[in-house]
Amino acid sequence: AELTSSLNDVTQKLYLANKELLSIHQEQSSLLTNLSHDLRSPLTAIHSAVEYLLSFDNIDHGDMTNSLKLIQLKLKIVEKLIEDIFLLSQIESKSWSFNFQLMNIGMFLEEFFFSCQSDVKYSKRNLVLKVPPHFPYESLVDTTLLYRLLDNLMTNALKYSSDQTTII
């Protein structure tokens, strides 16, 4: 009876571990699907812009400049996605080390907010910062990761909102 109980316990633990591994595998598969989709879109735009530029023997300077700006913008998107993939791989392999610093959170949020306000991509949005004046809180944070987190949130807010929307 004791051996049967132990065997049942081990079987249950193996079942739960297998279920967790399956869930992780499904999440990774979904992530890879999303990443490949996110990479395909800017690469298609780059490919189209290059084909457009190559289709002319003598191209208008304005058309060339616009196409090159599009290529530059899409390459920045690809670079950011590759950085995200690299960061995820480092975190998963546990080779990532956090760089914690004592930071005044209010000042950090204000600096981030003002950098967004000066960024032309947010020019058609109404950005609002709701942090109490002299926000007194300090915390140990990895400023690089916190910046990336806030940048991802703002990029998503921009992507999924329309012109004249308020982003708080």
Side-chain angles (χ1 to χ4, degrees):
E2 189 175 315
L3 184 58
T4 303
S5 177
S6 294
L7 186 58
N8 283 338
D9 287 346
V10 169
T11 303
Q12 182 65 23
K13 287 178 183 176
L14 283 172
Y15 171 77
L16 292 174
N18 189 41
K19 189 175 178 179
E20 184 178 345
L21 284 173
L22 182 60
S23 174
I24 290 169
H25 176 71
Q26 288 172 338
E27 287 177 21
Q28 287 175 336
S29 179
S30 176
L31 178 65
L32 286 173
T33 300
N34 290 337
L35 283 171
S36 65
H37 177 266
D38 290 348
L39 281 168
R40 189 175 299 121
S41 177
L43 290 174
T44 300
I46 291 167
H47 184 52
S48 296
V50 169
E51 281 184 0
Y52 175 76
L53 289 172
L54 292 173
S55 68
F56 294 97
D57 290 332
N58 192 6
I59 189 167
D60 176 68
H61 180 68
D63 285 345
M64 182 174 64
T65 300
N66 288 338
S67 292
L68 291 173
K69 284 182 179 180
L70 173 69
I71 291 170
Q72 184 180 40
L73 174 67
K74 298 301 179 177
L75 284 173
K76 285 181 182 179
I77 293 170
V78 170
E79 286 174 345
K80 186 172 180 344
L81 288 169
I82 290 170
E83 286 175 17
D84 289 346
I85 293 168
F86 181 69
L87 177 62
L88 282 172
S89 69
Q90 283 186 314
I91 290 172
E92 283 196 357
S93 71
K94 302 197 179 12
S95 65
W96 178 262
S97 61
F98 293 97
N99 183 19
F100 291 113
Q101 301 172 22
L102 188 60
M103 176 69 55
N104 179 304
I105 300 299
M107 287 178 58
F108 186 86
L109 291 172
E110 285 178 14
E111 288 173 14
F112 178 80
F113 173 78
F114 291 122
S115 73
C116 289
Q117 266 194 325
S118 64
D119 190 334
V120 70
K121 71 182 179 185
Y122 296 107
S123 64
K124 294 182 180 178
R125 303 297 188 277
N126 179 29
L127 302 182
V128 175
L129 177 66
K130 285 195 174 183
V131 175
H134 310 295
F135 192 69
Y137 299 102
E138 290 188 340
S139 183
L140 285 172
V141 297
D142 185 316
T143 56
T144 302
L145 289 179
L146 183 57
Y147 186 90
R148 287 176 63 94
L149 170 84
L150 293 171
D151 184 55
N152 283 340
L153 288 171
M154 288 298 291
T155 300
N156 284 341
L158 178 67
K159 182 178 179 180
Y160 296 106
S161 65
S162 55
D163 290 354
Q164 308 311 316
T165 299
T166 298
I167 299 173
I168 302 173

